[in-house]
Amino acid sequence: VVLICATPASVTGAPDPVAQLERSWQPIKQRVPHLAARALFAYAYDCAAANRFPDRAEEAIVLAASMQDRRPDSPTYGNFRWHWGDEGVEDLNAVQFCMQRATLLWRLHRDRLTPKARAELERTLRLALEGVRRHAVREGYTNIYLMKCANLLALADCLNDPGPAAEGATALRAWRDYTRANGITEYLSPTYLGIDLDSLGLIARFARNPESRAIAESGIRLIWAD
């Protein structure tokens, strides 16, 4: 038996959040074509969570907002270009991935944002609600369907709007009933089941509706067992 030993960074000490934020800032600063809208919301969240670089968090939010389709007559109104270099909205899943972190930023750390960033984020959330609603997803497309449920519930909370809360709760019940009859019909355990657990975990942690929290907790147990 040959043992090859190395000392991981996690053993020598906690990762330096400032160094991580510096590394993540470079593609944003350079506006690289593959820069993803979801990465901009994630960066703004990380800055706010670390209580660092509010100016950079503001720039990331403004950039992400510029990638949102804000034409009311567009079929992808409220959705996002996936990458900075894309000419338009090409992947309708973008709004779901973007809102997962954007709503969490609003819920947990909006007080750490600059006034401009906070105003831009709120406007982006309001328009994204339309993008989330327009994104038709079937119950069998498990990871995106659950993300849509979580986003509807989260946006209702962020915007203090009962409409999407009712939509999200109804959609989650539909997923429960579908899954009781069919099981989990989408498989790719390293990726999709992780997204499923993220979405169900957010619902279980934050949803105001007790029934939605209970469904999410049951879903988490089912996925772990599966």
Side-chain angles (χ1 to χ4, degrees):
V1 177
V2 178
L3 298 179
I4 301 175
C5 299
T7 304
S10 59
V11 172
T12 59
D16 181 357
V18 175
Q20 292 183 344
L21 289 170
E22 287 289 353
R23 285 192 295 271
S24 300
W25 174 247
Q26 296 311 308
I28 300 173
K29 181 179 178 181
Q30 297 166 16
R31 308 289 198 270
V32 297
H34 62 271
L35 177 64
R38 63 186 289 201
L40 292 167
F41 288 113
Y43 186 80
Y45 177 90
D46 290 344
C47 285
N51 205 17
R52 301 281 187 136
F53 306 126
D55 55 330
R56 294 183 182 181
E58 177 185 297
E59 185 170 344
I61 290 169
V62 170
L63 280 177
S66 75
M67 296 172 69
Q68 188 175 36
D69 184 347
R70 295 188 167 184
R71 301 167 296 164
D73 60 341
S74 171
T76 57
Y77 179 56
N79 215 307
F80 294 83
R81 304 198 315 270
W82 190 271
H83 296 114
W84 180 256
D86 294 343
E87 294 184 1
V89 177
E90 299 176 0
D91 186 340
L92 297 179
N93 292 344
V95 70
Q96 308 297 351
F97 282 96
C98 286
M99 285 303 100
Q100 188 178 64
R101 194 60 64 90
T103 54
L104 204 57
L105 171 58
W106 183 265
R107 278 170 155 167
L108 299 180
H109 301 304
R110 65 179 180 270
D111 292 342
R112 294 180 177 179
L113 298 174
T114 66
K116 179 179 178 180
R118 197 158 51 245
E120 190 63 69
L121 179 59
E122 183 177 7
R123 183 185 181 205
T124 301
L125 293 175
R126 292 189 183 280
L127 295 176
L129 175 57
E130 186 64 25
V132 169
R133 281 172 160 160
R134 292 188 183 199
H135 185 201
V137 188
R138 294 180 180 273
E139 292 89 343
Y141 190 10
T142 314
N143 83 113
I144 302 300
Y145 189 89
L146 287 175
M147 192 178 289
K148 180 176 180 177
C149 292
N151 284 333
L152 285 168
L153 293 167
L155 286 164
D157 188 15
C158 293
L159 304 175
N160 196 26
D161 183 347
E167 295 169 43
T170 298
L172 191 60
R173 285 194 295 271
W175 177 78
R176 175 200 61 193
D177 296 343
Y178 173 89
T179 304
R180 278 177 174 170
N182 300 283
I184 299 169
T185 56
E186 177 186 56
Y187 294 93
L188 181 57
S189 59
T191 301
Y192 293 152
L193 293 184
I195 297 172
D196 296 344
L197 290 169
D198 285 344
S199 299
L200 290 169
L202 288 169
I203 295 170
R205 170 65 180 82
F206 290 107
R208 295 181 179 181
N209 182 343
E211 182 191 23
S212 295
R213 292 198 303 272
I215 292 172
E217 289 165 0
S218 295
I220 289 169
R221 290 194 294 271
L222 170 64
I223 289 171
W224 275 116
D226 191 60

